[in-house]
Amino acid sequence: MPNLNPEVTKFLSHQPLPMYIGGRWTAAATAAAFETRDPGTGAVLARVAAGEAADVDAAVAAAQVAFQKSGWATLPANDRAVILHRLADLITRHQAILAEIESLDVGKPRGQAAAFDVPHAAQTFRYYADLAVHTRRREPIALSGFEARTVRLPYGVCGFIFPWNFPFLLVGWGVAPALAAGNTVVIKPAEDTPLSTLYFAKLAEEAGIPPGVVNVVTGFGDTAGAALARHPGLKRMSFTGSPEVGRLIAEACGRNLVPVKLELGGKGAAVIFQDVDVAVVAEALAAAVTLNAGQVCCTATRWLVHEDIRDEFVDKVTATLGAMKIGYGANPATNLGPVVSAKQRARVLGYLDKGVQAGAKVLLAGGPAAVPGYEHGYYVKPALLTGDPGNLCAREEIFGPVAYLMTFNDEALAVELVNRSAYGLANSVWSRDLDRANRVAEKLVAGNGWINAHNLFTHGLPYGGCNLSGCGGGVLGPETLADYLRNQTVARPLA
């Protein structure tokens, strides 16, 4: 393991790392633990408490008590905002530590985590804290013969299951609006990347969030995750991950009539017209498909290039991808870190093999990457394939640094090719003709349409999916705060 910040070393020294339930750091009820590994070296980073159903029961019970008795749910919104701003300040103050932990656990370049993941999460807490202050909780209803109003109230205990690609960022996106609305939360981080979520719990405690308001149960998806999804004590559930697991989560929640938010996968497309600056677009899309080693659900992995610029684009983008510095996340020169696990590397390499066997042509060969000094890390070279739109690499989410190129010669064909996908998360249109770009962006079926850019995330711009990419409401917008407030009418007859 490389030299670590002393605070990170101290944090990792408590083995196995305990869970955080009801304001207490606790081992699993069974005393079981699991290992989390550094994707860049393959070495064990830490042993972590392996929670199961009994631990989820304890966490939900603690969250229920906190909702009823801690005062968090009944605090004025501005008082909650003070605490959430304090939490955001602590995140900012510990930005270097959190970025190091995130880089170690996920494999992503540390600079990326420090520049985007951590500060964006902090700003998310500030955004929803302020939004809650300015959200009216009581609205009069104009009715003849009645004095009536709608009151917006927190639901209660909200469950969250997060994936391994952006563990800290997604904690911010998920729990910030729930907490700002006055709910309590139980978080189950991915077993591959639990560390930054546990450090988040430490900061929440330091910020003065009452015991039981934030709870973290670490463990495996088929034990702790499944127990949380089916728990009858939840009032809301949120899951971010694959459509396959999303169906299971929705089914479990449906049995208890618990409303669920599903933020699922994608197979994003970029439509590139012939009037663009080819070098600029090639650089932007190369950066998009290698961001977090391609482990980004909304990134552009289908490139639809106008046939007039196809050869120039291929030359530019393969040169850019081929020049990427593949390396360990702590190396400042690294552009592309490892994928998260040996399992994920096998998945990416397996897709490349199956795609070629099914007829795809290789424009840039991917495959395992050798990084001197890190021979046991999970490194993968970026790859570019081309061929029939029906190839599985053009249809299925690979979740690695792999793009699939297709060509078109008219607008209608481009729209039709994009909309063949069963997903619907994010697409982009690249053109100097803004009338055309806007027209095409509105025709592409997805929750998010971007013009002359890809992977745009800003507070106040709603982000969510449709079709296989999710349902139940998105994140980052004002509507997300409303998702965590239930409406209750109060009425009195005047006659």
Side-chain angles (χ1 to χ4, degrees), residues 242-260:
S242 70
E244 294 77 18
V245 178
R247 289 188 178 99
L248 299 176
I249 300 290
E251 182 180 353
C253 290
R255 291 195 180 102
N256 294 320
L257 297 180
V258 173
V260 59

Side-chain angles (χ1 to χ4, degrees), residues 397-438:
E397 186 176 39
I398 298 172
F399 229 53
V402 180
Y404 197 93
L405 186 143
M406 297 168 277
T407 59
F408 68 94
N409 54 18
D410 68 72
E411 181 180 309
L413 176 60
V415 171
E416 192 273 328
L417 286 171
V418 172
N419 289 343
R420 286 185 190 181
S421 177
Y423 291 97
L425 190 49
N427 300 310
S428 57
V429 182
W430 302 75
S431 176
R432 288 191 174 99
D433 183 342
L434 293 184
D435 287 339
R436 175 170 61 188
N438 280 285

Side-chain angles (χ1 to χ4, degrees), residues 111-477:
Q112 175 199 306
F116 178 70
D117 299 39
V118 179
H120 201 281
Q123 185 55 36
T124 303
F125 280 99
R126 295 189 178 101
Y127 171 74
Y128 281 110
D130 294 342
L131 186 63
V133 169
H134 297 290
T135 296
R136 293 184 61 173
R137 296 298 185 98
R138 288 172 175 81
E139 293 282 355
I141 303 173
L143 292 175
S144 177
F146 290 87
E147 178 187 76
R149 65 187 180 276
T150 296
V151 183
R152 297 185 179 92
L153 302 166
Y155 278 87
V157 182
C158 301
F160 292 87
I161 299 176
F162 292 115
W164 43 257
N165 57 337
F166 288 91
F168 190 77
L169 176 69
L170 294 179
V171 164
W173 284 15
V175 307
L179 292 174
N183 299 281
T184 58
V185 302
V186 177
I187 304 168
K188 209 297 282 185
E191 57 264 31
D192 286 316
T193 56
L195 300 183
S196 61
T197 305
L198 290 171
Y199 201 87
F200 166 77
K202 176 180 179 294
L203 298 182
E205 183 178 49
E206 187 177 342
I209 292 180
V213 171
V214 172
N215 304 273
V216 178
V217 178
T218 49
F220 294 97
D222 57 0
T223 50
L228 182 59
R230 65 172 180 260
H231 204 288
L234 297 183
K235 299 302 180 184
R236 294 280 296 176
M237 181 69 205
S238 174
F239 169 77
T240 307
S242 70
E244 294 77 18
V245 178
R247 289 188 178 99
L248 299 176
I249 300 290
E251 182 180 353
C253 290
R255 291 195 180 102
N256 294 320
L257 297 180
V258 173
V260 59
K261 291 168 63 73
L262 299 175
E263 301 293 329
L264 307 178
K267 192 69 177 176
V271 179
I272 307 150
F273 285 94
Q274 69 271 38
D275 61 344
V276 300
D277 183 323
V278 174
V280 169
V281 179
E283 183 176 351
L285 291 179
V289 81
T290 55
L291 175 68
N292 200 31
Q295 300 164 130
V296 183
C297 54
C298 60
T299 203
T301 56
R302 293 184 294 153
W303 296 347
L304 284 78
V305 182
H306 195 282
E307 60 184 22
D308 288 354
I309 58 169
R310 188 261 190 199
D311 292 344
E312 181 185 2
F313 179 84
V314 169
D315 289 344
K316 296 286 187 183
V317 81
T318 54
T320 303
L321 289 170
M324 290 278 179
K325 172 66 176 177
I326 303 172
Y328 191 67
N331 185 341
T334 293
N335 305 123
L336 177 59
V339 295
V340 75
S341 65
K343 178 181 176 181
Q344 187 62 21
R345 180 178 59 179
R347 173 187 170 90
V348 174
L349 299 179
Y351 263 105
L352 289 174
D353 289 342
K354 289 184 285 188
V356 171
Q357 290 171 11
K361 179 183 177 182
V362 177
L363 297 175
L364 180 67
V371 178
Y374 299 95
E375 287 77 10
H376 300 292
Y378 314 130
Y379 299 95
V380 178
K381 298 175 185 176
L384 180 60
L385 306 178
T386 190
D388 188 273
N391 189 282
L392 81 165
C393 287
R395 293 183 289 105
E396 298 181 16
E397 186 176 39
I398 298 172
F399 229 53
V402 180
Y404 197 93
L405 186 143
M406 297 168 277
T407 59
F408 68 94
N409 54 18
D410 68 72
E411 181 180 309
L413 176 60
V415 171
E416 192 273 328
L417 286 171
V418 172
N419 289 343
R420 286 185 190 181
S421 177
Y423 291 97
L425 190 49
N427 300 310
S428 57
V429 182
W430 302 75
S431 176
R432 288 191 174 99
D433 183 342
L434 293 184
D435 287 339
R436 175 170 61 188
N438 280 285
R439 180 176 65 247
V440 172
E442 291 188 5
K443 291 179 181 179
L444 304 182
V445 177
N448 308 278
W450 299 319
I451 294 174
N452 293 333
H454 205 96
N455 293 334
L456 298 180
F457 313 107
T458 189
H459 299 96
L461 180 66
Y463 170 88
C466 61
N467 300 334
L468 283 189
S469 293
C471 59
V475 294
L476 288 182

Side-chain angles (χ1 to χ4, degrees), residues 23-96:
R24 295 183 178 183
W25 295 94
T26 180
T30 62
F34 64 94
E35 295 177 343
T36 181
R37 293 180 177 270
D38 179 347
T41 65
V44 175
L45 273 174
R47 295 179 67 248
V48 183
E52 296 186 7
D55 304 289
V56 170
D57 288 342
V60 173
Q64 288 171 328
V65 170
F67 183 73
Q68 295 162 0
K69 298 182 179 181
S70 72
W72 182 256
T74 55
L75 272 180
N78 57 327
D79 290 344
R80 273 197 305 271
V82 169
I83 298 173
L84 293 177
H85 271 280
R86 190 182 304 146
L87 174 58
D89 290 343
L90 285 169
I91 291 171
T92 300
R93 193 180 310 158
H94 293 79
Q95 179 170 309

